[in-house]
Amino acid sequence: MTDSALIVVAAGSGTRLGRGVPKAFAELAGATILEHALRGLAKVDAAIVLVVPAGWEADAAAIAARAGVGGGADARAARIVVGGATRADSVAAGLAAAGDAHWVLVHDAARALLPLAQVERVMGALRDGARAVVPVLPVVDTVREASDAELGAIVDRSRLRAMQTPQGFDAALLRRAYAAAGDARGDSTDDAQLVQALGEPVVAVEGSELAFKITTRADAHRAELLLADEGTSMSELPTSEIRTGVGVDVHGFGGDGPLRLAGLEWEGQGLAGHSDGDVVCHAIVDALLSAAGLGDIGGLAGVDDPQHAGAFGEVFVRAAIARLAEHGWTPMNVAVQVLGNRPRIGPRRDEAQAVLTAMVGAPVSVAGTTTDGLGAIGRGEGVQAVVTALIHRRPS
Ligand code: CTP
Ligand code: MG
């Protein structure tokens, strides 16, 4: 609703939550309560005034920007002001910064899960002519009057309503109510009450369970559970566990056998070293094991077995994949970089990729480079492979 200001009061200390930081700056499910609140409010067509504790203005600005309010070019950039000792003082500070908006909504940042539909109900009632609007919920508990020690009569709960926010007002009326109350507003936690004191009617619209005020640790826990639910239903992230790994291997030329690399046989002198010296296959093994946190090729059963001297690298790759499978892991893809003067990868890249992809059971890409003549590899003394692997498994 153009010509509206939305005052978000976030200047309380959060004594009952007891996190040691002002409540709006306490974290829930990876973001501050204020950020959760503002993410929803960013879609509201109103100029946002954010009321925060002294010293928290810069944090609030960063949070507002992250939540999508107050982004640079936005003419409706959130105004940030410092609140007061009581909630009413904070609302008064917000009102003083609300400019000449025709309508004002006042909302508790602590109601961080407020559904947008509730804001629309309040704004709708204002558009329909109401000058003071409060979202309310029926009271579910049996309620009794009481003094400290003694219980009094049960109050008919069908006549009771619990107050929520945002409360919406004709801005001039709310200003008049605050001016009339003066110091007598005391620590009123309900803005509509001050309007009512002027003899003005206050209209009720339907509130929502989700708009509950995060006050205690139990409330924070409930909010976290609700946010987690929302996360799983709204997010498109796969539910699998995903990990990356890295592997490196180097061998010098000088082997007796033919040159075996990337699962293929090449012309020229072979590589020295254990088994067939295929540094690509060995680095793939290390990358896969590294991703799964299962050690490295040295710990792979049977690698040191004399029967594997001269074995093809494929034997080890298959053993690594079997080892991963025992722990529920499946490769997603593998990327290989070969460093060396020879062999030249380009002409046989497709062949190498096809052989390795069949071996791993997931896409394997192969690239080659020289080291510009630098170091042992640059002098043509051997070949090096650097490999990354991505693997996944279903959460247990
Ligand atoms: N509030 C405020 N300024 C104050 C007190 C409260 O802006 N001086 C805000 C709070 O940040 C909150 C809302 O008013 O968003 C409702 O207040 P409440 O839930 O009581 O929060 P706190 O006062 O922070 O918590 P507590 O009473 O447990 O200290
Ligand atoms: Mg309070």
Side-chain angles (χ1 to χ4, degrees):
M1 197 157 56
T2 319
D3 205 17
S4 310
L6 170 56
I7 299 170
V8 180
V9 284
S13 56
T15 323
R16 285 168 288 179
L17 188 60
R19 289 277 192 97
V21 288
K23 184 159 72 184
F25 298 87
E27 292 229 349
L28 275 190
T32 58
I33 288 180
L34 182 59
E35 184 166 344
H36 289 298
L38 291 179
R39 274 185 206 159
L41 296 174
K43 300 185 193 90
V44 175
D45 182 21
I48 291 186
V49 179
L50 201 46
V51 189
V52 300
W56 291 83
E57 300 93 319
D59 300 77
I63 290 168
R66 260 207 309 281
V69 293
D74 184 359
R76 289 170 172 273
R79 256 163 278 169
I80 295 172
V81 296
V82 172
T86 66
R87 182 183 182 281
D89 291 340
S90 296
V91 175
L95 260 181
D100 54 5
H102 183 73
W103 285 288
V104 171
L105 274 68
V106 182
H107 179 60
D108 295 331
R111 299 180 189 274
L113 274 59
L114 170 75
L116 214 49
Q118 182 155 325
V119 183
E120 277 149 21
R121 284 196 289 275
V122 172
M123 285 183 160
L126 290 173
R127 268 194 304 265
D128 290 348
R131 298 175 69 209
V133 183
V134 181
V136 304
L137 276 187
V139 173
V140 292
D141 291 314
T142 298
V143 182
R144 200 184 278 273
E145 285 177 352
S147 64
D148 277 352
E150 219 178 310
L151 290 179
I154 285 189
V155 183
D156 176 7
R157 73 171 173 229
S158 69
R159 297 171 49 217
L160 297 180
R161 299 290 181 273
M163 301 299 114
Q164 292 192 328
T165 72
Q167 300 190 349
F169 303 94
D170 177 304
L173 176 60
L174 186 63
R175 286 182 198 284
R176 197 147 59 79
Y178 264 82
D183 289 342
R185 74 188 179 216
D187 55 5
S188 161
T189 56
D190 187 87
D191 308 297
Q193 184 193 359
L194 303 180
V195 168
Q196 224 164 14
L198 296 179
E200 292 283 337
V202 176
V203 169
V205 295
E206 196 189 336
S208 156
E209 294 241 20
L210 282 174
F212 70 99
K213 183 162 69 68
I214 300 170
T215 306
T216 61
R217 284 176 59 181
D219 293 330
H221 186 59
R222 181 178 166 205
E224 265 174 336
L225 291 175
L226 287 163
L227 286 164
D229 268 4
E230 199 177 72
T232 37
S233 63
M234 283 168 57
S235 143
E236 283 168 12
L237 284 174
T239 51
S240 301
E241 245 186 297
I242 295 177
R243 299 229 190 125
T244 69
V246 63
V248 175
D249 197 22
V250 195
H251 284 307
F253 287 115
D256 302 324
L259 173 58
R260 291 208 55 98
L261 191 76
L264 302 176
E265 199 168 309
W266 307 71
E267 277 180 21
Q269 192 185 22
L271 292 165
H274 183 66
S275 74
D276 61 355
D278 188 334
V279 291
V280 168
C281 287
H282 300 172
I284 289 175
V285 168
D286 270 353
L288 291 169
L289 294 173
S290 131
L294 292 171
D296 55 37
I297 194 166
L300 208 55
V303 168
D304 289 322
D305 192 325
Q307 74 168 15
H308 285 144
F312 290 169
E314 174 166 8
V315 174
F316 301 122
V317 172
R318 296 215 183 274
I321 287 166
R323 186 86 210 286
L324 258 61
E326 285 165 26
H327 294 263
W329 295 107
T330 311
M332 293 172 76
N333 84 298
V334 166
V336 176
Q337 179 85 44
V338 180
L339 292 86
N341 297 347
R342 73 171 184 92
R344 314 233 18 114
I345 298 299
R348 297 186 70 188
R349 186 198 318 277
D350 291 348
E351 216 183 324
Q353 291 185 161
V355 165
L356 293 172
T357 296
M359 215 184 272
V360 171
V364 179
S365 61
V366 182
T369 186
T370 66
T371 61
D372 213 7
L374 295 174
I377 300 295
R379 289 191 297 272
E381 293 173 24
V383 181
Q384 179 175 6
V386 178
V387 174
T388 62
L390 191 65
I391 63 172
H392 78 105
R393 72 175 169 192
R394 295 226 163 278
S396 48

